[in-house]
Amino acid sequence: MRGCHWDVDSIDSTGISLEYSVEGWKQAFSQIETAFEAVQAPISLCNSDPGRPSERKQDAMDRNAQVWLVKSPNQISPDKVTEWQKEGLKDSVRGKALSLFYSDVRFKGKGKGKREYKENNVKGNSYVGGDFRTPSFVWIKSIFPQSGDSYQVVTIFGVEGDRLTFARELDKLAKKRPSEAMLVFGEMPNADPQRHNRPIHR
């Protein structure tokens, strides 16, 4: 899934329009799953190891992955940004989901080269990734449909341990404002939120 480009502004040959809706995205995932099952089942019954510095296993759409849709109505399209050095860190450019992700070091991975983190001497959480060969566990794609509000597609790989913290923040948003965030792939684990579990990065 990481690195794929989906054109969601138009209806493809399958007749699916990827609008901001649970039904549309569930239908899309159903067709993707059917297509991959002809080769090999994409949703494994076992959990993928989320990754260590020398591996990238966490980029798997297994039963520990989630996909969320998060509304971002005031987001500026990248082609309308004129000065990235000045505007790139603004919430209006990042979008709602990415701004939430960067707002807390509990779920922002270790990033030595991030300007805002370097200036504030913040290193991030090494248990969720960010090291060389262990990339961020979150992939966020901004969508600017021809009609309706812009939104972001948030893919979370390996939703367990410290990585579950970010998913819980999205779940809180969905419960507080159901129209602003929705889980379209995967499920929220029933694990005790107080349990301190760090199997991610040893």
Side-chain angles (χ1 to χ4, degrees):
M1 295 294 292
R2 183 183 292 273
C4 292
H5 176 75
W6 289 2
D7 181 2
V8 300
D9 291 332
S10 61
I11 299 175
D12 61 20
S13 59
T14 64
I16 297 176
S17 179
L18 295 182
E19 298 174 350
Y20 184 81
S21 74
V22 172
E23 295 76 19
W25 276 83
K26 283 189 180 293
Q27 184 184 1
F29 279 120
S30 177
Q31 291 202 12
I32 291 169
E33 185 174 351
T34 300
F36 275 104
E37 280 177 349
V39 181
Q40 182 179 355
I43 310 303
S44 173
L45 295 177
C46 62
N47 295 333
S48 293
D49 183 337
R52 294 181 176 84
S54 61
E55 302 172 350
R56 290 184 54 141
K57 291 183 181 178
Q58 82 278 16
D59 294 22
M61 290 295 284
D62 62 9
R63 69 179 183 175
N64 267 354
Q66 292 181 357
V67 178
W68 291 80
L69 305 184
V70 179
K71 276 211 172 171
S72 190
N74 299 316
Q75 188 176 351
I76 300 169
S77 177
D79 59 5
K80 294 181 181 176
V81 177
T82 55
E83 294 186 55
W84 281 96
Q85 290 295 329
K86 292 181 180 180
E87 302 173 62
L89 299 180
K90 292 182 179 178
D91 289 348
S92 59
V93 174
R94 281 180 171 166
K96 190 167 187 174
L98 191 58
S99 292
L100 173 63
F101 183 65
Y102 275 90
S103 70
D104 197 315
V105 294
R106 291 177 302 158
F107 33 77
K108 178 66 188 89
K110 184 177 180 181
K112 297 177 181 177
K114 305 295 182 186
R115 187 179 68 178
E116 63 185 316
Y117 276 63
K118 200 170 184 180
E119 290 173 356
N120 297 313
N121 197 28
V122 177
K123 296 181 180 178
N125 183 358
S126 61
Y127 288 97
V128 299
D131 281 328
F132 181 63
R133 293 184 183 163
T134 307
S136 171
F137 66 108
V138 175
W139 178 62
I140 299 176
K141 171 70 175 172
S142 298
I143 308 298
F144 301 90
Q146 292 178 354
S147 61
D149 291 330
S150 56
Y151 67 98
Q152 293 183 304
V153 181
V154 182
T155 304
I156 307 177
F157 300 101
V159 182
E160 59 182 2
D162 280 19
R163 296 180 180 200
L164 180 56
T165 308
F166 183 59
R168 286 202 177 106
E169 290 300 313
L170 294 177
D171 192 47
K172 285 180 191 175
L173 176 61
K175 288 176 178 173
K176 187 176 180 180
R177 298 188 179 97
S179 65
E180 294 187 20
M182 55 184 72
L183 181 62
V184 297
F185 182 90
E187 298 177 356
M188 284 300 297
N190 293 322
D192 181 359
Q194 300 302 318
R195 183 183 174 201
H196 194 68
N197 179 18
R198 293 190 167 190
I200 303 302
H201 187 85
R202 296 178 182 86

